[in-house]
Amino acid sequence: MPEAAFTLRRLAWNNLQRRPFRSASLAGMVALFAFTLFAGTILNENLGRGLASLAERLGADLLVVPHGYDKEAQAALLRGEPSTFYMKAELLDKVRRLPGVLQASPQFFLASLDAACCTSKVQIIGYDPASDFLVRPWTRENRGALESGQIVVGSRIITEVGGEVTLFGTAFTIAGKMEATGMGFDTSVFMTLDDVYGLVRKAGLAEGDPDEANRFISSIAIKTGPDHSPKDIGNELMRRHAIDYDLDLVLTKNLVSDIAARLKSVSSLTWTLAAVFWTLALLVMAIVFSSTVNERKRELSIFRILGASRSWLGRMILLEACFIGIGGALIGLLAAALLMFPFSTLIFQAIGLPHLQLSWGMILAYALAVLLLAGAAGPLASIYSALSITRFDIHPTLREGE
Amino acid sequence: MLLEINGLRKEYERGEHRFAAVDDLCLRLERGEFVCLFGRSGSGKTTLLNMIAGLITPDSGEILFDGVGLYSLDDPARTAWRNEKLGYMPQGASLLSNLSVLDNIRLPFHLQPRSGGSLEKARELTRELGISRLEKSYPSALSGGEMRRVALARALMNSPELVIADEPSNDLDAQTAREMASLLSVLNGRGCAFLVATHDQELGRLGRTLEIANGRLLDQDHATEDREVSNVQ
């Protein structure tokens, strides 16, 4: 029969098993830190990438929407929440004539019924491919004009380019798929304004006369000239047309800075919690290890008597701490992964901010970094105890009966 | 000569005054000899044994083992020496509670770098000491006598030249104490030297006896007389 291995690792593991509650509690502290750091980092990075994408590619400086619908417009833009709101289309020409307006392009928002492509309602956005600068920056294919009967779908809508989707009984060919935007666009469907008006007419979706649908739009995206501030143009627009058209404005710069501020607070919370948990784990482990070493002096003396060197004992304590650190880190990482990956859609929906998924390579790199940092908590916390073992005097523990 | 001790002294502080736990002590122990060390609690027995085991450094004097000064070695070398040449049965419960009987016995073999395995030797010792059936048991399941046998087997694991036993029959009933004495006698008969600190007269009959009081060894003849008088009283 092969001889069972008798190693330092096995002894250290045995020692931890002998005190299961203490070992599990310490590993739990490390797990809490690893969980917070990993989940928080993934969350922050995803949100950060979403924000960067938004700031980099959102071509519009201003969005004009009907009065009271600025929040809905933001929800549709950021989270893809299906919204339906309208204003008169004739405003578009007036906006284009405003000094400082470089480009203005209209959109028409329509919430779909459950479509074959999707598990829930999607936001249908009619846009004008000729004047568009809102959708095009994220379009991979079909950078030219979108034709009637064609649609472009968001990155998270599960369909293939060239396939067909039926919306309100009308079949559309998928001409292109957008790149991931991290925004509501990812779950939206884009078609020409004429097609969306056609849907409204055919399905009788609008209140009043469906044939009059083309007299309405939901929003106007405005790109301002380099010498004009979006705020000034917005003020001028409101001064001239707010009363006649009952308008509201969304300044995209404010939108980005609002998101950045919220992201900063999420990020601060994450780092603060992680730092608190790390410090706490370190302190508690240091105290527990130190008191345990005192409590184990008799046992450690026996090891010394039998011929264990001081460094061997120190290594055993460090190894116990490593097992706790690495074990706790793995538990924390696993718990964070089990929460973050299957439920990411729900989590980001609840947060309501643009987000872009990190690559698996980056996720792995962060997991390794967290594993190192959390795993190091154990050995760091036990250094003092390990060193004190190399100095402690075993004689008093053996003099009990003298 | 296996062990030679000359002018050994160790002082401790108790409150504000210092006292000598071991004072100018000299001792010689031949190979294969059985020596019993008698003395009252606090007489310096354990301090002496720990200095011989290389666990505490004396203030003065020398301990020569096989002619080599123990305290001329640095700590790692002295630790390796203890592991190889010395078996130590500490006083009281000294088994590691998270290791089985067999692993407790094997442990000393694995504390210093060595080639080969420990299982065969450990099993041989459990057979010899009549504890084969306990190999897989844990210390919490053992009686006092069984624990002492396991501790003895562990002390013999690396085939030491000297076994130091601190009160090996303490707290044992008379029958078990006699069995322990008989076992030590058999093992001593195979050439292993023993230095035993004890109060047990049974063990005293196995070899030379010494008495320690106030850290000094008494004259051997006087010591025997004193002890006999004490026993009569």
Side-chain angles (χ1 to χ4, degrees), chain A residues 376-399:
Chain A
L380 277 177
S382 68
I383 280 177
Y384 173 76
S385 304
L387 284 175
S388 72
I389 281 173
T390 65
R391 290 190 297 262
F392 96 98
D393 181 9
I394 70 171
H395 180 59
T397 60
L398 299 173
R399 286 175 63 196

Side-chain angles (χ1 to χ4, degrees), chain A residues 3 10 15 298 306-307 395, chain B residues 12 50 83 91 98 103 118:
Chain A
E3 186 168 328
R10 194 182 134 199
N15 290 339
R298 170 92 187 160
L306 299 178
H395 180 59
Chain B
Y12 288 114
N50 285 341
N83 179 263
Q91 191 173 353
N98 54 327
D103 282 345
S118 59

